[in-house]
Amino acid sequence: MDQKRILLIVGGGIAAYKALELTRLLRKAGVGVRPILTAAGAQFVTPLSLSALAEDRVYSDLFSLTDEAEMGHIELSRSADLAVVAPTTADLMAKLAHGHASDLASTTLLATDKPVLMAPAMNVRMWEHPATQRNLDQLRRDGVRFVGPEEGAMACGEYGQGRMAEPQAIFDAIMPLLGGAARPLAGKRVIVTAGPTAEPIDPVRLLTNRSSGKQGYAIASALAGLGADVTLVSGPTALPAPAGVRRVPVETAREMLAACEAALPADIAVCVAAVADWRPESAGTGKMKKGSGGPPQLTLVENPDILATLSKDSRRPRLVVGFAAETDDVEAHAAAKLEKKGCDWIVANDVSVEGTMGGDENAIAIVTRGGIERWERMAKGEVARRLAQRIAEELK
Ligand code: C5P
């Protein structure tokens, strides 16, 4: 990696502190970091910290005679293999989407002929604003790659999408773009199911559950990061499709099964979705009316078990992984599930621990026919990265 270099543009935002950690991770991996600090960015981190970690000087002024003498902005923009903007403000997105070149950062982004990766960080309302979303669409069409933003609590006290991706996740998105990452799953086809299913009761009512899809999406993303060709069959979630993943949106369990079968043959299947066990027998074509006869009786019928079906398929993937959300006696139930479903691993998690369902952390145990591996509690992104590595080792 020694010969690889990134141009790291640090925009203004509280997430700028994470750019320091990103710099450290990149340097540790032997990647050169040439930092550009915007005027707003310099309100949050100092040029000295950035320069010390990057082991390079920090560029910030478009019209600095010294900089121009040493390295003009055009040369600067070409001096790296990849431009990374972390944090990317709404302003930086708007500037590049519209082709502004009003400071060193925007001029460099406009002048570069190298790939650009943006890690947006902003208030949720700024992120959701139609102007920002239009700029996002435009930038994507122009070939800009994105990592994050993620959903969570914000420094401004609000909650929602807009938190910058964690340094490790940005690092993981950078490495394949530099072409230097280990891609142990290159050429492997993977099916990941994620999110809840939604089973219609009538045209307006649904039977569904609280699954956020976060863990499944993080796993799909981590597997793609290792080079896998990932089909993410997803029930309804509020999450953006991870970069480099083919997402197939579905609603019901039966649609999810059909989408999985259509994605066969595959080398690996990871069933993370919280599939509804039952669905109303008939959804009817008209909205059920309140009547004098009291509430309607719903007749439920069993849904297909996608994990069990994939495990039995004649084109069975070599490795089939299921998840088990349990509230008690987690590992014993997981071991029983392994047999019942016919899969190779069950990743058990204790959802009785507060914050697991819909939260950002997970404590899991991998139950295989060979035994149990218990992992300490960690962020769902970290669980995903380690699980993807573990899967890659298994397939070696
Ligand atoms: O039986 P239980 O729902 O606890 O099993 C959980 C595992 O089975 C998960 O991997 C889930 O994705 C999968 N599953 C499935 N289809 C169903 C029910 C569960 O694929 N109908």
Side-chain angles (χ1 to χ4, degrees):
M1 280 271 112
D2 262 342
Q3 65 285 23
K4 297 286 181 189
R5 184 191 297 281
I6 69 154
L7 190 66
L8 177 63
I9 298 177
V10 181
I14 190 68
Y17 78 91
K18 293 189 194 170
L20 299 178
E21 173 64 6
L22 173 63
T23 304
R24 200 186 63 75
L25 290 173
L26 287 163
R27 292 300 300 129
K28 211 170 91 185
V31 179
V33 177
R34 180 152 284 159
I36 292 184
L37 185 59
T38 68
Q43 300 292 323
F44 294 89
V45 294
T46 69
L48 191 59
S49 324
L50 199 53
S51 163
L53 288 165
E55 299 165 80
D56 198 351
R57 56 157 304 179
V58 172
Y59 295 80
S60 18
D61 194 353
L62 181 58
F63 297 111
S64 156
L65 284 177
T66 353
D67 290 359
E68 286 293 320
E70 283 172 6
M71 186 180 294
H73 56 266
I74 303 292
E75 199 186 333
L76 189 59
S77 72
R78 310 262 162 96
S79 67
D81 302 284
L82 169 73
V84 177
V85 192
T88 304
T89 58
D91 183 61
L92 279 168
M93 283 176 69
K95 277 182 174 150
L96 186 58
H98 294 272
H100 288 268
S102 48
D103 55 16
L104 183 62
S106 54
T107 306
T108 308
L109 285 171
L110 204 60
T112 191
D113 57 356
K114 300 291 170 13
V116 175
L117 174 72
M118 290 187 147
M122 67 196 75
N123 167 276
V124 54
R125 283 181 221 300
M126 292 171 74
W127 174 253
E128 286 174 354
H129 195 284
T132 305
Q133 291 300 310
R134 269 198 308 276
N135 292 336
L136 174 66
D137 282 349
Q138 182 60 56
L139 290 167
R140 281 208 171 116
R141 277 201 297 277
D142 294 343
V144 174
R145 275 101 160 164
F146 284 84
V147 51
E150 287 171 2
E151 192 182 299
M154 322 207 124
C156 58
E158 287 190 74
Y159 185 92
Q161 205 184 347
R163 276 173 66 91
M164 187 167 89
E166 291 304 318
Q168 183 67 50
I170 303 175
F171 176 87
D172 290 347
I174 288 173
M175 295 315 263
L177 295 174
L178 287 181
R183 292 168 68 82
L185 292 176
K188 298 278 185 261
R189 287 169 58 94
V190 186
I191 302 170
V192 178
T193 70
T197 64
E199 312 290 337
I201 295 172
D202 69 15
V204 295
R205 300 181 179 95
L206 296 168
L207 201 64
T208 186
N209 61 64
R210 291 187 194 280
S211 166
S212 65
K214 282 180 194 167
Q215 186 64 83
Y217 273 55
I219 290 169
S221 173
L223 289 164
L226 297 185
D229 172 358
V230 181
T231 302
L232 171 62
V233 182
S234 170
T237 74
L239 303 171
V245 162
R246 189 179 320 102
R247 177 165 65 174
V248 182
V250 296
E251 297 226 322
T252 66
R254 286 183 296 175
E255 287 168 10
M256 188 171 269
L257 176 60
C260 288
E261 286 175 333
L264 287 172
D267 302 281
I268 305 158
V270 188
C271 294
V272 198
V275 184
D277 292 316
W278 312 284
R279 67 174 183 277
E281 187 172 31
S282 61
T285 47
K287 185 184 166 196
M288 284 177 168
K289 296 270 186 308
K290 255 195 262 185
S292 51
Q297 298 295 312
L298 287 183
T299 308
L300 300 178
V301 294
E302 201 148 318
N303 261 334
D305 191 310
I306 297 160
L307 176 60
T309 309
L310 291 178
S311 298
K312 282 197 286 275
D313 197 283
S314 57
R315 293 164 298 170
R316 184 192 197 278
R318 195 172 131 199
L319 181 69
V320 181
V321 181
F323 269 64
E326 305 282 356
T327 50
D328 58 281
D329 214 354
V330 177
E331 284 152 17
H333 281 130
K337 204 157 281 181
L338 195 64
E339 294 318 316
K340 191 170 134 221
K341 307 261 188 178
C343 57
D344 303 300
W345 299 356
I346 284 282
V347 178
N349 64 331
D350 188 347
V351 288
S352 67
V353 179
E354 205 186 328
T356 304
M357 199 89 179
D360 294 318
E361 290 194 340
N362 229 345
I364 64 153
I366 302 184
V367 182
T368 69
R369 291 194 174 73
I372 293 179
E373 252 176 63
R374 290 184 188 81
W375 292 6
E376 74 273 23
R377 192 175 173 80
M378 59 186 99
K380 285 184 175 173
E382 190 56 26
V383 169
R385 278 187 286 279
R386 293 205 197 173
L387 191 65
Q389 286 291 354
R390 185 72 182 71
I391 288 173
E393 274 164 34
E394 187 71 16
L395 260 80
K396 249 187 218 159

